Amino acid sequence: IITQLPPPGTAASQLLWDLLEPFVQKATADRPPDDGFEHADELHQLRIGLKKLRYAIELFEPALGSAFEQLYQPIEDLQELLGQHHDLVVLTELMDHHRRNLARENRGTLAHALVSLQDQLVQERQALVIRFREEGFDSELWRQTLRGQLELGVNLPS
């Protein structure tokens, strides 16, 4: 963000828009299709994009005034949800690796027990994906909120 600062005299509102909009575009583009599949890798990429947007917003908290929480909180909440999902993806893969090793070592009882645990993790993942679909990042609403705040005017500290 700092390296993209325009020359002195540029309106603060336009500056803020120009610096944040690419992050919003990236998060919008990274949103996986709503086709009933999980798209774990895409969800993780969206989480990374939202993290960058969150950090950018934090830089401008003073300039965003009362709109800061309204802009920041949905991104933080969604990033947290996607983080939980990614943790479950990694844990499921780890358990699958150990289950296969146990099966190769003829430890069928232990391998079978892991299948049950994996099923529970998959159900938790599916529940998080459903929450994501219901609560996901609404980039248009977010932009409207930012535009509304920018129309009120911002004063960047000198």
Side-chain angles (χ1 to χ4, degrees):
I1 290 222
I2 301 298
T3 61
Q4 298 175 30
L5 290 175
T10 303
S13 295
Q14 186 62 45
L15 166 63
L16 208 56
W17 180 263
D18 290 345
L19 293 174
L20 293 177
E21 176 59 15
F23 293 106
V24 178
Q25 287 176 357
K26 177 84 168 96
T28 302
D30 285 346
R31 183 183 174 95
D34 191 2
D35 58 6
F37 294 100
E38 184 175 18
H39 300 286
D41 291 336
E42 290 88 346
L43 289 170
H44 183 60
Q45 289 306 309
L46 175 59
R47 178 176 175 255
I48 291 168
L50 289 172
K51 182 185 288 192
K52 292 176 182 179
L53 176 59
R54 192 186 99 211
Y55 292 160
I57 294 168
E58 288 173 352
L59 288 173
F60 294 106
E61 180 177 359
L64 293 170
S66 61
F68 174 78
E69 277 301 316
Q70 191 177 1
L71 291 165
Y72 184 83
Q73 198 59 54
I75 292 170
E76 184 181 46
D77 292 346
L78 187 54
Q79 187 185 347
E80 176 68 26
L81 183 145
L82 294 174
Q84 291 172 4
H85 177 267
H86 184 67
D87 290 348
L88 290 173
V89 168
V90 171
L91 185 56
T92 303
E93 290 170 356
L94 180 65
M95 290 179 72
D96 188 55
H97 172 77
H98 286 295
R99 181 193 54 76
R100 284 183 276 128
N101 285 344
L102 287 169
R104 274 194 300 271
E105 295 170 5
N106 292 322
R107 297 181 145 206
T109 303
L110 289 173
H112 182 72
L114 286 182
V115 169
S116 178
L117 290 173
Q118 281 181 282
D119 289 344
Q120 289 178 344
L121 293 177
V122 168
Q123 288 175 7
E124 289 181 42
R125 284 168 53 176
Q126 290 170 343
L128 289 172
V129 170
I130 290 168
R131 275 188 54 205
F132 166 76
R133 300 282 182 225
E134 294 170 352
E135 304 169 14
F137 182 58
D138 185 342
S139 59
E140 285 311 309
L141 178 60
W142 196 91
R143 284 183 177 108
Q144 288 173 8
T145 303
L146 178 59
R147 283 187 201 267
Q149 181 63 24
L150 295 178
E151 287 172 7
L152 295 174
V154 292
N155 295 312
L156 294 177
S158 21

